[in-house]
Amino acid sequence: GLSSWPTRMLLLLFGILYIGFGLMHLQVLFTEERYVEQPDVFVPAEPKVLKGTRVLNVVISFMMSIFLIATVAVAKVHCVLAASRVLIAAIAVFTLTGLIGAIMDMYQCSVDGDGIGKACSGVSGFAQMTTTAMLLVTILFFQRWTWILALVSQGGYLFYIAWRYEPKSIMMRLIYSAVGLAFMTTAALIYIKHQVVLRSARTKVEDGTTEFQLMWKTLMESHKPELDELAKQAEDIRSAIGKSVSQQRARGKASPYTRNGKSKQQEKDIDELFKQAGEISAPFQKWVAGWSQSGRVQPGCVKNPNRAIQKVVRSYGRDSSCLTDLVRCTIVVNDVSQILSCLNQILGKAEVCFHWDAETSLAVDETKIMSITSIKNRFDPEFNAAEQSLHYRDLLLNVEVGYVFSNGHVRFLPLCKWGSVEGLQMKRHICEIQILIYNFHSAKKRSPQALCPLPEH
């Protein structure tokens, strides 16, 4: 991702390369190559007319170098999300200018030249448009192959200009060929490393999965009644959430859930969501630790922006409001009875699927400080852990909190005051609380599952 230095170095390399392309195209403007060619030979057609794409190529090359270098600068100074937008905008502009260049070439070859042929056509423009369009699609939908496609296509282009045209010297041909080979070799090395790392991770996952299975077997033998009670309470909460959502929809009110039951943030803009996460992450961890009497609170950092973007694209249909785990913390307990105690403590401080309005807020006790928007119980004996979580087990709750942020300080509000904060803008944010047993927590930290996302269900 754009947060890693290898990616930034590659972008800088591409930026420098496009400066070289710009200088090369600028040099062409002072030679006979700047004119429209004859159809099948690289000789100017008569009368000589300046080829528009010769000027366009200079502009495109320098513009791309500025975009690429700006992407790195924005990622370092501002944020990765903004840098991603700069990069996608650059590729989109490059795709559009490729189409414009192809149309210009075809028009000039037909009108100002003697027709379209091997030497004078819009093929290079269409090739630029197609390649960059494929790169844009890859970035949006198949991120893991982005750099391989970028390096292979750029290497191929260098070979193309080295052997398709007549360079000024053999040395220039060799330089273009060497750089093109270096790009393609780098792409091959990235692919090989990806396969090696993937194979190694699979082996480690299998070992971690075995450990999770053994711990679960022990847990079932020693705490079966507690696990059944936990499953019943979690199911009651889940049913209450489903009933509340159905009632809201029956009244014609907008539901803060997707069609498949995924809870959603009130805020939809991903930049604002990360801003909120930055405001309340540390205060939320401290806040939970202040009232949690069962287990040890293990603070979590704000979700990595690259992973968040991947999740929005791959799992949430580009709906950023489905990101409900930007702020998260873990409560580590010793056994299932402490999980039950922790859950009951949360229930004592929360309403299930609270929908604020003037009437309902008056009936809510001031001790209720959050709303439970979803629950996922992987400790349920009926849960298919083999297929859905690689045998990993925990209890996940999404809780919505209301807060005001003023003068650098966060103040969390009880549910009854969500609509009565005068002079201050109250914000609502869904956070994640993960409850798990110490043995599972320790094994998770040793396992690649801690590094790889669990399947979405």
Side-chain angles (χ1 to χ4, degrees):
L2 291 173
S3 59
S4 65
W5 71 263
T7 299
R8 294 179 183 181
M9 289 300 293
L10 280 172
L11 285 173
L12 285 176
L13 178 61
F14 275 112
I16 294 170
L17 183 65
Y18 273 94
I19 291 176
F21 287 154
L23 295 174
M24 180 188 73
H25 290 306
L26 187 62
Q27 183 184 13
V28 168
L29 293 179
F30 298 95
T31 68
E32 291 290 300
E33 296 178 31
R34 68 181 183 271
Y35 299 119
V36 176
E37 303 96 335
Q38 295 180 17
D40 296 311
V41 291
F42 292 99
V43 176
E46 295 293 341
K48 295 180 180 179
V49 178
L50 178 66
K51 195 172 184 178
T53 51
R54 297 301 189 215
V55 178
L56 184 63
N57 286 338
V58 176
V59 175
I60 292 173
S61 297
F62 285 119
M63 179 189 68
M64 279 301 294
S65 68
I66 292 172
F67 265 118
L68 292 170
I69 295 172
T71 299
V72 177
V74 171
K76 184 173 179 60
V77 176
H78 188 41
C79 69
V80 172
L81 295 174
S84 300
R85 290 170 178 166
V86 174
L87 182 59
I88 291 175
I91 297 173
V93 170
F94 199 57
T95 304
L96 179 61
T97 52
L99 176 61
I100 294 173
I103 295 172
M104 288 174 62
D105 273 352
M106 292 178 66
Y107 176 82
Q108 283 201 287
C109 291
S110 301
V111 177
D112 298 326
D114 299 323
I116 297 174
K118 178 182 177 182
C120 191
S121 67
V123 173
S124 60
F126 279 116
Q128 171 187 316
M129 178 192 68
T130 304
T131 303
T132 51
M134 289 173 58
L135 183 60
L136 184 59
V137 170
T138 305
I139 288 175
L140 293 176
F141 299 104
F142 310 100
Q143 290 92 345
R144 70 187 65 180
W145 303 112
T146 298
W147 279 116
I148 292 178
L149 177 60
L151 290 166
V152 169
S153 60
Q154 196 63 73
Y157 178 70
L158 288 167
F159 274 112
Y160 172 78
I161 63 175
W163 298 94
R164 171 74 168 76
Y165 298 105
E166 294 291 338
K168 300 300 180 183
S169 67
I170 295 298
M171 181 59 68
M172 289 301 298
R173 174 172 286 182
L174 291 175
I175 290 174
Y176 281 127
S177 299
V179 176
L181 180 62
F183 273 76
M184 291 190 168
T185 302
T186 303
L189 291 174
I190 289 175
Y191 177 78
I192 292 171
K193 182 180 178 182
H194 177 267
Q195 295 301 313
V196 170
V197 171
L198 189 61
R199 184 172 299 180
S200 175
R202 283 172 178 166
T203 302
K204 292 178 180 178
V205 164
E206 290 174 1
D207 295 339
T209 297
T210 302
E211 188 175 5
F212 287 144
Q213 285 179 286
L214 291 174
M215 287 189 294
W216 176 246
K217 183 179 179 181
T218 302
L219 207 60
M220 283 289 289
E221 292 173 351
S222 59
H223 291 83
K224 183 66 166 62
E226 291 94 333
L227 288 170
D228 289 339
E229 176 62 24
L230 177 62
K232 180 180 181 302
Q233 288 199 28
E235 180 60 27
D236 288 345
I237 295 171
R238 194 187 65 81
S239 297
I241 292 172
K243 182 179 179 180
S244 177
V245 172
S246 298
Q247 290 175 346
Q248 291 295 314
R249 287 175 175 168
R251 295 171 185 169
K253 295 185 178 181
S255 172
Y257 290 83
T258 63
R259 291 184 177 179
N260 62 1
K262 177 74 178 71
S263 60
K264 298 169 64 177
Q265 300 275 12
Q266 185 182 46
E267 178 60 54
K268 296 182 179 180
D269 182 76
I270 192 168
D271 288 329
E272 182 60 29
L273 283 173
F274 269 96
K275 180 182 176 182
Q276 290 181 4
E279 290 173 349
I280 71 166
S281 180
F284 179 75
Q285 323 287 335
K286 186 177 179 180
W287 184 60
V288 172
W291 54 255
S292 176
Q293 299 174 358
S294 301
R296 183 183 79 254
V297 175
Q298 189 81 23
C301 57
V302 175
K303 194 178 191 71
N304 181 282
N306 286 331
R307 172 60 186 142
I309 293 172
Q310 289 175 356
K311 211 169 184 180
V312 168
V313 172
R314 296 176 183 176
S315 304
Y316 299 150
R318 302 182 183 281
D319 186 353
S320 301
S321 64
C322 291
L323 286 171
T324 55
D325 61 347
L326 296 183
V327 177
R328 59 266 178 98
C329 71
T330 300
I331 301 177
V332 183
V333 299
N334 293 321
D335 52 37
V336 183
S337 61
Q338 284 194 338
I339 295 178
L340 280 166
S341 175
C342 189
L343 178 59
N344 287 326
Q345 187 177 8
I346 292 174
L347 287 171
K349 295 181 176 294
E351 287 285 319
V352 176
C353 200
F354 175 75
H355 297 280
W356 185 90
D357 59 46
E359 295 180 2
T360 57
S361 63
L362 295 175
V364 177
D365 192 275
E366 286 193 5
T367 60
K368 303 293 184 176
I369 54 178
M370 54 190 166
S371 169
I372 298 175
T373 62
S374 71
I375 185 169
K376 182 185 294 184
N377 180 25
R378 294 192 178 106
F379 286 112
D380 190 338
E382 301 297 322
F383 177 72
N384 189 349
E387 292 185 6
Q388 298 187 27
S389 65
L390 304 175
H391 293 284
Y392 169 75
R393 305 269 180 170
D394 63 8
L395 178 69
L396 281 180
L397 293 102
N398 281 144
V399 297
E400 187 173 33
V401 295
Y403 72 98
V404 291
F405 184 76
S406 177
N407 299 322
H409 297 285
V410 169
R411 178 162 60 96
F412 293 101
L413 302 173
L415 299 181
C416 62
K417 295 187 181 296
W418 276 18
S420 60
V421 183
E422 296 182 3
L424 294 172
Q425 180 184 9
M426 193 205 77
K427 301 178 183 179
R428 288 159 56 179
H429 194 94
I430 297 176
C431 309
E432 181 182 273
I433 297 177
Q434 181 186 64
I435 309 171
L436 72 165
I437 295 172
Y438 176 78
N439 290 341
F440 277 90
H441 177 64
S442 299
K444 178 187 176 184
K445 291 171 68 175
R446 296 192 300 269
S447 170
Q449 281 106 305
L451 302 177
C452 303
L454 294 171
E456 293 293 333
H457 288 276

